[in-house]
């Protein structure tokens, strides 16, 4: 394994090696005293630093634990710190030792807050508790005192625990800092409360946090607040950005650093995240152990492991093992859900699961496993406590589970791999560095995708040929993570931090220490907690003064001031009872909902119980027993019916007598108001909570869309009044985004899965409402629509004032105007496409006049409006429902639909230009216009859903989509005049002169169709071009997409990997029947059922085959597995095709007719592939597919087929640059058809597969470009 190079370029200045480094951690080790306080990987890193850190002075600051004996220690000093308005005295003890030129100095902090902790639970939790906040305040301030006192060359900060410390250091004593991210999922965030200003005033929670942490409120806003919540890790990142230009942030693996830079907005502004890969000791024999020796040691260790865990003594058993913390990040709930399936489908499997449950997912896993232990006694061992397993016994495992949903580095796969135990799990973060079988998260928000892919990975790993498995196990023992590489990267990080460090100029201090020296403590506390100060102009009442005094007393009484989340103990009890009730109702033994869903239900139930209003509790209940709440329906009604700006505009266009303004000027005025409204609503979102914003919109809608139009018509004869009325309605129209964003308040994390379906339904209903308003205006029944809007608006107005707490306590956090917005290329391209499309808005939306000129009467136009309404109501929800279903396996369906659906304006303009003038009352022309309107509805909904998914956060979605509304509204403003100018320049015809569809021969002017063509088609075609360009970047900008097989999210390819593909239909059959992964195919290449086999070895279905069951089975091996292997490709860089024996065209449905290029992206991106059809009549299990891993095995099995007398044709072709052999077998026996694609290198020595993991990929199938989510690839 080659050394991991730093991801940032080396410093321009010569490297500076620090002589003194200070680090501060809660976990710690003192080898001389036998002290070990560790909770995970961070403790291992500390052990590594104590042995392998570069020479010099290494100062280590740790809190003392009450149940740890530190022996004799020297009192270094004591100092006073102010925490929550009270002075705390901290004693510092000192211990020294030296090792290989490294002087190690421990500074141990003694205080009752620290000594109350136990070594079994070193980290205080939860963060919402006052005692925990005080702990971290005391800890960070104590570290800062030692930073000032010792003045090290570099401060080595690990994770968030001591990231606030640099803020307490005085301006003239700042030191360079590196921040090493061992697990950025833990940021020290207060999840329960927002601390950003509300009503443009400081919230009480921020005032109290200022006291607890002894920091000014402005400091917390600037450094320790992210996306509206208190965030301790943000302080370290912002400090490095300010002092060092962003240089000095490191991650414990290169892939993890890339993921953080891509997925976390907090790190997006950094020049780079340095790779500081953890190092480990190599295997005892340095990987020189032969396979026979590995087998022998496995046999001996397996017996010991079975005896140690109480498993049945079975020398042929395959033991699957997981040892670690039971938390959501480790994916332990997925192991628990699949354990019974694996045990039933593989009789040879035994499972060992051990570790302490540390969150709700861990508790859920324990509850799932408890009832199945008796059923699989002797095959399943479960221990929910700390479990120490000797290294010699670990060798007895067959595979190590690692289905983590996020992993910074991952020590477990390395520890087991060095013992000859490959890993099976998810290639995310630091995982995938050891030989094993992995899958990728193509949709990280889909539990179904994660479960199915994990099951496919395990099943494939269990069915691997012995030769391949032991080659992989041997390669794992040769893996190296050298300390020399770690030291070099660490010194580079130190050098960059020192080289880019620029001390701040003299300025204001961040702490409140100057106030404590000037005034008495109680006065400062009262002043900091006061929402305002008493003055002659604003006197305070006696009750207000008493309230301030009560707040001071609350501090003395240690009263909690933050909202408290449901405790883990209560979650455990509720989850246990819920699962017990579910088992009773369902008959027991059936799979219950996943842990995340159960936890969400518990939180919603807790929130509902905390609400006092009966109306609020009613709004928190499910809507018609669905997953949506009634508050969602209320907000949806607001979006559908109001504001009715577009309805008003189209109604006026349908009734030109409504005012004297020309329609082009009405269009301009309305969209100017819409652009201004985008700025207004976005600005108000910075201070007003969502329920008041939405209620304000509804109130204004009642006034200006219902009551004002009901006034006498004489008031609107003035053009100024009409213009003002249109501007106000334009402003109201832009508030529609509020109702979209806040409809996802509880579940926006679902990404495009959630946004796609709901936005599609809402957009279809909204377009129906607009079309209904147009229809009623034709009938002269506008008052009916107004009365409906009045009823909906008043009802929702009242209910919004009673919205749940989460709708009343949030406001848009203060962030940079462009932060998190224009870093996504696909968002920019879609924005440009929308702007260009809106430049054609006026010209393409005058189609009612086209119908009239084509000879259609008003009643006909009303019929067309009804047809449009019905088609929108049926097609839009149906299509978006299918998109949601297909998006389970990745963003391809949403990407292709969004980027390939052309603008409806393009179709309308072409229809008018081509056929609109040919026939009087042309039905084809009318149908084309109706269909184009439905396309516009589909496109608008898909583009907005995609933009929201790309931005990935409701705050950035709110900000970014309002920018989209602002810019597109400006484009709509100028669209009448730009389109008219283009039309006049190109054909001497005006889009304003809608008198006839025919060309005037006398005036030499073009027709209306030509004018519309030139005003619309060029801009729409250009908009469509930008949509197509978005295809390239769409997947990489979807944060829930983390790769596809051996491809990373950015499109780059992992080296030394191979890929296998298996149909999703087979996985579903496995889950349903509990069977193993057995793939069979009939004569036509269709997979057949596992029962009722006929003489040909394949079952015959009695009915028509299922769509999913007719998929071809494809097993692909991609890429040579060797360190010295070169990039290999077939001729022209494309996979060679397999020709049909009759027609000569490709018989694989995933390929084009010529066979030169795959049709789907997933296949086209997989190079160096050769296809073959292999028949094996005897000696193999029915329906099993085992992909040969060597070219020699392919030749051997081909010889067996030839021996059966089959007429096979073998073609070999060798690539000149890579010596790759391409084997294609044709004229296969139809009853034994199996398809696979294999690529192998001609030479593979034993040292070539150290970095050769097999990547499991769940992706859209290569079989059919129109069918997504049908192929699971390993």
């Amino acid at each position: 394994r080659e050394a991991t190079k730093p991801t940032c370029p080396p410093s321009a200045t010569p490297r500076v090696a620090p002589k003194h480094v200070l680090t501060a951690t809660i976990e710690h080790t003192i080898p001389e005293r036998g002290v070990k306080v560790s909770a995970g990987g961070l403790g291992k890193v500390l052990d590594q630093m104590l042995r392998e850190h570069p020479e010099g002075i290494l100062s280590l600051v740790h809190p003392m634990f009450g149940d740890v004996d530190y022996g004799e220690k020297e009192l270094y000093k004591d100092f006073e710190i102010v925490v929550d308005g009270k002075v705390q005295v901290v004693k510092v003890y000192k211990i020294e030792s030296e090792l290989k030129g490294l002087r190690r100095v421990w500074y141990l902090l003694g205080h009752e807050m620290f000594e109350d902790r136990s070594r079994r639970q070193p980290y205080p939790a939860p963060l919402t508790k006052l005692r925990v906040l005080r702990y971290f305040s005391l800890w960070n301030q104590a570290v800062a005192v030692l930073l000032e006192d010792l003045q090290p060359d570099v401060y080595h900060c690990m994770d968030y625990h001591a990231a606030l410390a640099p803020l307490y250091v005085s301006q003239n004593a700042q030191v360079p800092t590196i921040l090493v991210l061992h697990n950025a999922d833990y940021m020290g965030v207060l999840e329960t409360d927002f601390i950003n200003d509300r009503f443009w005033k400081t919230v009480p929670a921020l005032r109290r946090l200022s006291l607890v942490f002894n920091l000014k409120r402005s400091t917390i806003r600037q450094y320790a607040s992210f996306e509206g919540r208190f965030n301790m890790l943000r302080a370290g990142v912002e400090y490095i950005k300010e002092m060092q230009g962003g240089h000095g942030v490191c991650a414990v693996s290169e892939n993890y650093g890339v993921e953080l830079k891509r997925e976390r907005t907090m790190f997006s502004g950094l020049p780079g995240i340095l790779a500081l890969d953890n190092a480990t000791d190599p295997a005892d024999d340095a990987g020189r152990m032969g396979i026979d020796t590995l087998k022998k040691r496995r046999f001996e260790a397996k017996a010991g492991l079975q005896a140690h865990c109480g498993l049945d003594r079975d020398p042929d058993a395959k033991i699957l093992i997981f040892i670690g913390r039971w938390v959501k990040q480790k994916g332990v709930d997925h192991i628990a859900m699949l354990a019974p399936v694996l045990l039933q489908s593989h009789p040879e499997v035994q499972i060992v699961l051990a570790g302490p449950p540390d969150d709700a997912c861990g508790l859920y896993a324990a509850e799932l496993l408890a009832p199945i232990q008796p059923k699989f006694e002797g095959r399943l061992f479960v221990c929910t406590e700390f479990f120490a397993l000797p290294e010699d016994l670990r060798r007895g495992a067959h595979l190590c589970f690692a289905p983590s949903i996020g992993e910074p580095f991952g020590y477990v796969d390395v520890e087991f791999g060095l013992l000859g135990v490959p890993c099976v799990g998810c290639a995310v973060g630091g995982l995938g560095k050891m030989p094993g079988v992995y899958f990728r998260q193509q949709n990280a928000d889909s539990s179904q995708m994660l479960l199915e892919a994990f099951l496919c990975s395990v099943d494939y790993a269990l069915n691997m040929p012995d030769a391949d498995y032991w080659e992989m196990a041997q390669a794992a023992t040769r893996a190296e993570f050298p300390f020399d590489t770690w030291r070099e990267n660490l010194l580079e990080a130190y050098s960059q931090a020192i080289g880019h460090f620029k001390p701040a100029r003299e300025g204001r201090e961040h702490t409140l220490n100057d106030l404590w020296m000037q005034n008495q403590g109680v006065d400062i506390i009262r002043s900091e907690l006061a929402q305002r100060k008493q003055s002659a102009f604003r006197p305070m009442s006696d009750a207000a003064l008493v309230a301030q005094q009560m707040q001071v007393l609350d501090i003395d009484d240690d009263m909690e001031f933050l909202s408290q989340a449901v405790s883990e103990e209560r979650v455990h009890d509720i989850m246990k009872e819920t699962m017990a009730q579910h088992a009773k109702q369902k008959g027991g033994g059936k799979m219950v909902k996943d842990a995340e869903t159960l936890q969400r239900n518990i939180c919603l139930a807790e929130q509902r119980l905390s609400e006092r209003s009966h109306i609020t509790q009613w709004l928190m209940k499910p809507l018609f027993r669905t997953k949506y709440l009634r508050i969602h329906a209320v907000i949806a009604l607001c979006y559908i019916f109001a504001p009715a700006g577009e309805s008003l505009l189209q109604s006026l266009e349908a009734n030109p007598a409504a005012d004297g303004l020309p329609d082009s000027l009405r269009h301009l005025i309305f969209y100017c108001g819409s652009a201004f409204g985008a700025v207004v609503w976005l600005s108000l979102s910075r201070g007003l909570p969502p329920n008041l914003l939405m209620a304000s919109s509804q109130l204004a809608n009642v006034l200006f869309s219902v009551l004002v139009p009901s006034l006498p018509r004489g008031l609107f004869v003035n053009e100024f009044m009409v213009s003002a009325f249109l501007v106000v309605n334009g402003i109201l129209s832009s508030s529609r985004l509020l109702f979209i964003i806040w409809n996802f308040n509880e579940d926006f994390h679902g990404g495009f899965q959630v946004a796609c379906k709901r936005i599609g339904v809402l957009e279809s209903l909204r377009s129906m409402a607009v079309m209904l308003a147009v229809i009623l205006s034709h009938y002269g029944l506008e008052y009916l629509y107004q009365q409906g809007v009045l009823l909906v608006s008043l009802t929702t107005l009242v209910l919004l004032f009673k919205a749940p707490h989460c709708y009343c306590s949030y406001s848009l956090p203060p962030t940079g105007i462009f932060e998190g917005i224009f870093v996504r290329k696909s968002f920019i391209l879609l924005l440009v496409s929308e702007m260009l499309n809106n430049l054609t808005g006026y010209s393409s939306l005058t189609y009612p006049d086209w119908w009239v000129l084509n000879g259609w009467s008003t009643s006909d136009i009303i019929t067309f409006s009804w047809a449009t309404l019905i088609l929108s109501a049926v097609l839009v929800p149906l299509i978006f429902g299918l998109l949601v279903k297909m998006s389970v396996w990745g963003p391809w369906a949403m990407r292709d639909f969004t980027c390939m659906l052309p603008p409806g304006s393009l179709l309308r303009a072409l229809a008018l230009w081509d056929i609109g003038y040919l026939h009087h009352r042309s039905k084809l022309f009318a149908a084309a216009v109706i269909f184009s309107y439905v396309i516009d509805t589909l496109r608008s909904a898909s583009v907005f859903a995609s933009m929201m998914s790309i931005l990935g956060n409701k705050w950035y979605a709110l900000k970014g989509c309002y920018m989209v509304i602002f810019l597109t509204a400006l484009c709509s403003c100028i669209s009448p005049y730009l389109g008219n100018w283009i039309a006049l320049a190109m054909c001497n015809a005006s889009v304003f002169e809608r008198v006839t569809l025919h060309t005037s021969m006398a005036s030499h002017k073009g027709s209306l169709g030509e004018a519309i063509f030139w005003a619309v088609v060029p801009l729409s075609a250009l908009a469509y071009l930008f949509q197509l360009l978005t295809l390239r970047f769409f997947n990489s900008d979807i944060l829930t997409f983390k790769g596809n097989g051996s491809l990373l999210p950015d499109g780059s390819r992992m080296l030394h990997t191979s890929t296998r593909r298996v149909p999703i239909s087979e996985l579903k059959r496995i889950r349903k029947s509990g069977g193993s992964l057995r793939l069979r195919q009939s004569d036509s290449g269709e997979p057949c059922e596992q029962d009722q086999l006929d003489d040909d070895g394949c079952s015959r279905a009695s009915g028509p085959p299922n769509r999913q069951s007719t998929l071809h089975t494809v097993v692909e091996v991609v890429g040579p597995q060797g360190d010295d292997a070169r990039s290999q490709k077939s001729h022209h860089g494309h996979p060679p095709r397999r020709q049909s024996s009759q027609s000569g065209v490709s018989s694989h449905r995933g390929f084009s007719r010529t066979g030169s290029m795959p049709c789907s992206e997933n296949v086209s991106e997989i190079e160096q592939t050769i296809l073959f059809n292999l028949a094996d009549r005897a000696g193999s299990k029915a329906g099993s597919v085992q992909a040969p891993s060597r070219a020699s095995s392919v030749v051997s099995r081909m010889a067996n087929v030839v021996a059966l007398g089959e007429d096979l044709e073998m073609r070999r072709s060798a690539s000149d640059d890579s010596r790759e052999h391409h084997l294609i077998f044709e004229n296969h026996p139809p009853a034994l058809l199996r398809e696979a694609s294999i690529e192998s290198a001609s030479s593979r020595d034993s040292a070539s597969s150290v970095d050769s993991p097999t990547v499991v990929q769940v992706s859209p199938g290569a079989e059919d470009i129109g069918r997504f989510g049908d192929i699971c690839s390993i």
Side-chain angles (χ1 to χ4, degrees), residues 751-752 755-756 759-760 880 894 940-950:
F752 50 84
C756 173
I759 290 180
F880 277 87
M894 191 66 187
S940 175
S942 64
V943 167
F944 258 84
S946 298
M947 285 182 169
M948 292 170 63
S949 301
I950 290 168

Side-chain angles (χ1 to χ4, degrees), residues 60-284:
L60 303 106
V61 183
H62 307 299
M64 296 177 62
F65 286 76
D67 59 348
V68 176
D69 183 11
Y70 293 93
E72 295 184 4
K73 48 192 178 296
E74 173 189 354
L75 180 63
Y76 174 69
K77 66 181 298 187
D78 54 21
F79 47 79
E80 294 182 347
I81 292 175
V82 179
V83 177
D84 205 8
K86 299 178 181 179
V87 177
Q88 309 289 340
V89 178
V90 178
K91 294 183 178 294
V92 183
Y93 300 92
K94 183 179 178 181
I95 299 176
E96 293 189 40
S97 72
E98 188 168 346
L99 178 67
K100 299 178 182 179
L102 176 64
R103 181 187 170 196
R104 305 175 298 183
V105 185
W106 287 270
Y107 295 92
L108 305 178
L109 308 179
H111 190 274
E112 59 180 358
M113 289 189 194
F114 300 145
E115 295 169 0
D116 286 343
R117 304 299 308 162
S118 168
R119 67 191 304 170
R120 293 184 63 86
Q121 294 181 337
Y123 294 105
L127 195 60
T128 53
K129 291 291 185 181
L130 179 59
R131 57 178 176 78
V132 177
L133 295 174
R134 289 174 173 173
Y135 178 100
F136 280 109
S137 174
L138 181 68
W139 163 244
N140 279 274
Q141 292 189 69
V143 173
V145 170
L146 290 175
L147 279 173
E148 285 201 44
D149 188 57
L150 300 175
Q151 280 295 295
D153 297 326
V154 174
Y155 172 43
H156 186 132
C157 179
M158 299 187 185
D159 291 332
Y160 76 89
H161 310 102
L164 289 172
L167 299 182
Y168 296 98
V169 179
S170 59
Q171 294 289 335
N172 56 357
Q174 298 286 355
V175 297
T177 299
I178 70 166
L179 175 62
V180 183
L181 302 170
H182 295 85
N183 195 339
D185 285 347
Y186 301 96
M187 295 186 176
V189 182
L190 288 176
E191 297 284 359
T192 58
D193 291 79
F194 264 56
I195 63 170
N196 57 296
D197 296 351
R198 193 158 59 250
F199 298 108
W200 296 275
K201 293 183 179 180
T202 305
V203 295
L206 178 56
R207 296 180 181 275
R208 184 64 188 279
L209 283 172
S210 174
L211 280 176
V212 171
F213 283 92
N214 196 27
L215 290 172
K216 295 179 179 180
R217 295 194 294 271
S218 59
T219 300
I220 295 179
R221 288 192 184 100
Q222 181 180 355
Y223 294 96
S225 176
F226 183 67
E227 295 180 356
R229 289 185 169 92
F230 180 75
N231 189 306
M232 296 169 64
L233 184 64
R234 174 74 184 280
V237 176
E238 288 300 311
Y239 177 85
I240 291 176
K241 285 182 179 179
E242 180 180 327
M243 295 292 183
Q244 300 162 200
H247 296 272
V249 179
C250 311
V252 292
S253 69
E254 183 177 7
N255 287 341
Y256 188 57
V258 172
E259 283 186 8
L260 292 177
K261 191 82 164 52
R262 170 181 175 261
E263 299 173 12
R264 306 293 178 90
T265 311
M266 181 186 296
F267 307 108
S268 61
L270 298 173
I273 297 181
L274 282 77
L276 194 60
D277 288 34
N278 290 334
T280 60
D281 295 316
D284 295 338

Side-chain angles (χ1 to χ4, degrees), residues 404-448:
S404 302
I405 62 174
E407 190 66 62
F409 177 76
Y411 273 105
V412 175
D413 60 331
V414 176
E415 293 171 350
F416 278 93
L418 294 177
L419 299 175
V421 181
C423 181
V424 56
C426 179
V428 62
L431 292 179
K433 58 187 176 293
M434 296 292 292
V437 182
Y438 301 90
F439 68 91
R440 284 203 177 274
Q441 298 176 1
Q442 296 177 185
N443 184 354
D445 280 335
S446 172
S447 297
Q448 178 186 354

Side-chain angles (χ1 to χ4, degrees), residues 929-951:
V929 173
I930 292 173
F931 186 63
S932 69
Y933 184 89
V934 178
I935 288 179
D936 269 341
T937 303
L938 289 167
R939 182 182 175 278
S940 175
S942 64
V943 167
F944 258 84
S946 298
M947 285 182 169
M948 292 170 63
S949 301
I950 290 168
L951 295 175

Side-chain angles (χ1 to χ4, degrees), residues 399-606:
L399 293 168
C400 169
F401 281 136
S404 302
I405 62 174
E407 190 66 62
F409 177 76
Y411 273 105
V412 175
D413 60 331
V414 176
E415 293 171 350
F416 278 93
L418 294 177
L419 299 175
V421 181
C423 181
V424 56
C426 179
V428 62
L431 292 179
K433 58 187 176 293
M434 296 292 292
V437 182
Y438 301 90
F439 68 91
R440 284 203 177 274
Q441 298 176 1
Q442 296 177 185
N443 184 354
D445 280 335
S446 172
S447 297
Q448 178 186 354
M449 181 268 156
L450 298 178
L451 280 171
E452 301 287 3
F454 182 41
L455 173 61
C456 184
S457 307
V458 177
D459 195 274
Y460 176 84
L462 290 172
N463 291 327
M464 287 181 66
D466 283 348
D468 290 352
Y469 171 80
W470 285 109
E471 184 180 0
M472 182 182 292
Q474 184 186 40
T477 63
R478 294 195 298 267
E480 293 183 357
F481 300 89
F483 289 102
D484 292 339
T485 302
W486 175 79
R487 272 191 295 269
E488 286 298 312
N489 290 338
L490 182 61
L491 286 173
E492 179 64 28
Y494 288 157
S495 179
Q496 289 201 23
I498 296 174
H500 290 89
F501 179 72
K502 296 180 180 179
R505 300 177 180 177
E506 292 293 333
R508 59 183 178 85
E509 296 290 334
H510 297 308
T511 68
L512 301 175
N513 289 333
D514 54 341
L515 297 178
W516 297 115
M517 292 187 300
Q518 297 173 8
N519 302 298
Q520 297 295 324
V522 176
D523 295 334
I524 297 177
I525 294 174
R526 185 180 294 111
S527 175
E528 287 298 309
L529 293 179
Q531 295 186 3
R532 65 184 181 88
K533 297 181 178 180
Q534 181 169 331
S535 65
F537 297 99
R538 298 184 65 190
M540 297 180 62
S541 64
D542 294 338
L545 295 173
V546 172
Q548 286 189 12
Q549 185 60 34
M550 291 174 64
Q551 289 178 323
V552 176
L553 294 176
D554 287 344
I555 295 179
D556 295 334
D557 295 337
D558 297 338
M559 297 291 292
E560 301 290 349
F561 67 96
L562 295 173
S563 302
Q564 300 300 314
V566 185
S567 65
E568 291 187 3
E569 294 79 7
R570 187 171 184 183
V571 169
H572 190 186
D573 294 339
I574 297 173
M575 189 173 290
K576 186 174 182 179
E577 182 63 24
T578 302
M579 295 175 67
Q581 292 295 329
H582 186 276
K584 291 179 181 178
Q585 295 174 4
K586 300 295 182 180
K590 290 189 177 182
M591 189 72 68
V592 298
K593 294 181 179 180
D594 58 274
E596 188 173 357
T597 302
L598 279 176
Q599 191 173 14
R600 175 181 178 272
N601 292 339
I602 291 173
C603 293
L604 288 176
E606 192 75 14

Side-chain angles (χ1 to χ4, degrees), residues 667-948:
H667 194 92
L668 170 66
I669 295 172
F670 176 82
Y671 282 104
C672 282
S674 181
F676 179 69
V679 178
V680 170
W681 294 113
L682 183 60
S683 302
L684 292 177
S685 298
R686 294 289 297 269
L688 294 179
N691 69 320
L692 293 185
L693 275 175
M694 292 185 288
S696 301
S697 173
Q698 290 300 90
L699 180 60
N701 187 63
V702 171
L703 294 175
F704 294 98
S705 297
V706 179
L707 298 182
V708 172
S710 301
L711 296 175
R713 302 294 296 176
L715 295 176
F716 294 94
V717 295
N718 189 336
E719 293 183 356
F720 175 78
M721 294 295 295
V722 175
S723 301
F725 181 64
L726 287 172
V727 168
V728 172
N729 277 275
I731 294 174
L732 293 178
S733 178
S734 61
S735 69
R736 67 186 184 273
L737 182 63
L738 298 172
F739 305 111
I740 283 288
I741 297 296
W742 293 106
N743 208 280
F744 300 94
N745 192 32
E746 288 86 5
D747 50 10
F748 190 77
H749 68 278
F752 50 84
Q753 286 193 86
V754 176
C756 173
K757 182 177 180 180
R758 203 182 303 182
I759 290 180
V761 172
L762 293 179
E763 193 64 27
S764 67
L765 294 175
R766 180 180 174 84
S767 65
M768 288 171 55
V770 173
M771 195 57 63
L772 183 62
V774 174
I775 293 172
L776 292 176
S777 67
H778 281 294
Y779 284 119
L781 302 175
E782 297 93 336
Y783 69 93
L784 291 179
Y785 183 79
Q786 293 173 358
Q787 296 304 314
V789 171
L790 177 63
L791 177 62
V792 171
S793 299
L794 290 178
T795 304
T796 54
L797 176 64
V798 174
L799 294 177
L800 285 173
F801 279 109
K802 291 294 183 179
H805 175 73
C806 59
Y807 294 89
C808 307
S809 57
Y810 299 159
S811 59
L812 182 65
T815 58
I817 187 64
F818 299 119
E819 180 180 344
I821 304 299
F822 293 108
V823 295
R824 312 290 182 192
K825 296 179 181 178
S826 53
F827 175 83
I828 298 174
L829 291 173
L830 287 177
L831 172 59
V832 174
S833 175
E834 282 292 281
M835 293 174 64
L836 290 171
N837 192 51
N838 276 266
L839 287 174
T840 68
Y842 173 81
S843 301
S844 64
L845 289 177
T846 57
Y847 57 86
D849 293 339
W850 307 351
W851 279 335
V852 173
L853 296 177
N854 193 242
W856 298 101
S857 63
T858 302
S859 60
D860 296 327
I861 295 176
I862 294 175
T863 303
F864 297 157
S865 300
W866 279 112
T868 307
L869 186 150
I870 295 172
L871 283 176
S872 299
V874 174
L875 289 181
V876 178
L878 177 62
I879 291 175
F880 277 87
L882 292 175
L883 286 177
V884 170
K885 185 176 181 180
M886 292 186 287
S887 294
V888 168
W889 302 103
W892 290 279
M894 191 66 187
R895 179 202 65 180
D896 293 348
F897 187 81
T898 300
C899 300
M900 294 184 179
L901 187 66
S905 57
L906 188 62
L907 176 60
R908 282 195 296 276
L910 290 175
L912 178 64
W913 173 72
D914 190 39
I915 60 177
Y917 68 94
L918 291 179
H919 301 285
H920 183 68
R921 298 172 62 87
S922 172
K923 295 181 180 180
L924 180 60
F925 170 65
V929 173
I930 292 173
F931 186 63
S932 69
Y933 184 89
V934 178
I935 288 179
D936 269 341
T937 303
L938 289 167
R939 182 182 175 278
S940 175
S942 64
V943 167
F944 258 84
S946 298
M947 285 182 169
M948 292 170 63

